Amino acid sequence: MKEKEKILEEQIHELIEGVEGRISLYIELPAHTLKMNSDVPYSAASLIKLPILLEGFRQIQEKKLELDEVIPVTPEDKVGGAGVLSHLSPHTKVTVHDLLTLMIIVSDNTASNLLINRMGMDSVNGMCRLLGLEQTKLNRRLMDFEALEMEVDNHISATDAVKCLKAMENDDLFQLNSRESMLRILQNQQFYQKLPGSMDRNVVFTANKTGELPGVEHDCAIIRYKHQTIYAAVLIDELKDSSEGSGLIMKVGKCLNDYLLT
C-alpha cells in the first residue's frame, strides 16, 4: 500500500472511531481497496433500487420492457416517503424511462413499486444472483410497513452495492446505450448531500444513490477524476442521531475528493 492510500485509510478510520452505530464500508481505489464489515448484510433502504435499475435495463435490452411503455399510476399504487408520483393527480401515466429515472434521482418509492410489479420480484432477485450479490435480496415492496413489522426486509452489503455500481459499466452485461443511460440517471441524482456533499462536483464526476430509514444512513457512489475512478459504499445503522451518520458519510466523501485531487 502506497503512502497516499495509507494516509487515506488512517483518515477514514479516525473519522469513524467516535461515531455511534454499526458501520460498513467498501472503497475500491485505483490501486487499493479499503474494507470494513463489507460483507455484513444491512437493511438496504433505497439502495435496493440499484438492482431494480439494473434489471430494468436488462429487460429493455431483451425487449421485455420498452423505455416508452406507458404505465398508469392509480391512487392504490401511491405510497409515501421520498418521491413525487404520490403527489400528482389521482390518475397519472408515466413511461418506464420516467419510472427508472424518478426511482433513482428522487428515490421515488411509488416508481420503485410500479417497476417491481411490472418486472417481477423474482426477476430482480435473478439479477442479484447474476451479479453475484451474496447479501442482497428484494423481499418486500417499498414502504411496506406490515412486512417490516413481520421482520421481512430488503438487504444489501457494502460489497454488493459496489458490485451494482461496477455492473453499470460492464460491457459484457449491458450495451453502450444502457450503460450511458444508467450512469446519466445516477449522475443526475438530486440527493447528493452525503458522499458528494463536500466534493467539487464541477471538477469531480459523481454518480450516487443514497438510502435512509430511521437510524439508517447509506450512500454509494462512482467518483471519477480524469483517469482515476473510485467505487465507494458506506452503510451505517443503529444510529440514535441520523445526522451524525450522514455527516460522517459526507466527511468520508471529502477524504476521497482530496485523495483524487492531490
Side-chain angles (χ1 to χ4, degrees):
M1 180 168 48
K2 295 180 180 178
E3 186 65 22
K4 188 177 178 181
E5 285 76 21
K6 184 178 179 181
I7 291 170
L8 175 64
E9 190 162 352
E10 289 173 351
Q11 289 173 335
I12 291 174
H13 279 288
E14 185 175 338
L15 283 174
I16 64 181
E17 274 183 1
V19 175
E20 291 185 4
R22 196 174 60 133
I23 302 173
S24 168
L25 60 85
Y26 186 102
I27 300 172
E28 186 174 314
L29 307 169
H32 182 64
T33 301
L34 311 181
K35 303 178 186 179
M36 173 181 287
N37 303 320
S38 59
D39 294 320
V40 176
Y42 279 62
S43 176
S46 285
L47 295 193
I48 200 64
K49 295 167 185 175
L50 294 173
I52 299 172
L53 178 71
L54 289 158
E55 176 59 13
F57 276 93
R58 186 191 71 82
Q59 291 200 13
I60 289 163
Q61 288 184 175
E62 295 186 357
K63 307 301 182 184
K64 295 179 179 178
L65 273 181
E66 297 288 341
L67 278 172
D68 58 359
E69 177 184 339
V70 175
I71 305 289
V73 185
T74 69
E76 292 74 26
D77 293 321
K78 295 179 179 181
V79 296
V84 298
L85 287 179
S86 62
H87 304 290
L88 300 183
S89 60
H91 294 278
T92 304
K93 294 181 180 179
V94 292
T95 64
V96 166
H97 180 267
D98 292 336
L99 293 176
L100 291 166
T101 302
L102 291 169
M103 175 179 68
I104 298 299
I105 70 170
V106 291
S107 206
D108 196 298
N109 293 316
T110 298
S112 306
N113 287 346
L114 287 166
L115 288 165
I116 293 169
N117 293 344
R118 177 64 180 81
M119 297 188 297
M121 195 174 290
D122 289 343
S123 295
V124 176
N125 285 322
M127 171 56 71
C128 294
R129 291 190 295 272
L130 178 66
L131 297 177
L133 308 183
E134 297 182 4
Q135 307 298 340
T136 303
K137 191 167 184 183
L138 175 65
N139 291 309
R140 64 170 178 84
R141 287 167 176 75
L142 281 297
M143 304 302 288
D144 186 346
F145 294 114
E146 289 184 8
L148 269 177
E149 286 178 5
M150 294 186 288
E151 298 185 351
V152 177
D153 201 2
N154 304 319
H155 294 97
I156 200 167
S157 67
T159 299
D160 285 356
V162 167
K163 285 181 180 179
C164 287
L165 296 175
K166 295 184 75 175
M168 295 178 193
E169 300 182 314
N170 187 331
D171 58 8
D172 290 330
L173 288 172
F174 295 103
Q175 299 162 0
L176 178 61
N177 59 342
S178 296
R179 300 196 307 273
E180 289 177 344
S181 294
M182 287 188 286
L183 285 177
R184 185 163 53 249
I185 289 171
L186 241 68
Q187 186 183 14
N188 289 330
Q189 172 64 249
Q190 302 298 297
F191 300 154
Y192 49 81
Q193 295 84 0
K194 294 182 189 177
L195 281 170
S198 290
M199 295 184 182
D200 186 347
R201 296 171 65 241
N202 293 317
V203 175
V204 177
F205 170 92
T206 66
N208 74 296
K209 181 71 194 81
T210 63
E212 41 279 319
L213 286 169
V216 173
E217 293 288 337
H218 302 331
D219 199 6
C220 63
I222 302 169
I223 305 158
R224 186 173 292 130
Y225 176 67
K226 294 183 177 179
H227 64 282
Q228 299 183 91
T229 300
I230 295 174
Y231 302 93
V234 183
L235 281 57
I236 312 175
D237 67 5
E238 299 181 2
L239 286 162
K240 294 179 180 177
D241 180 359
S242 290
S243 65
E244 184 180 18
S246 57
L248 168 66
I249 296 173
M250 185 175 67
K251 290 174 184 175
V252 170
K254 179 66 165 60
C255 290
L256 299 179
N257 177 84
D258 295 348
Y259 169 87
L260 286 175
L261 296 182
T262 56

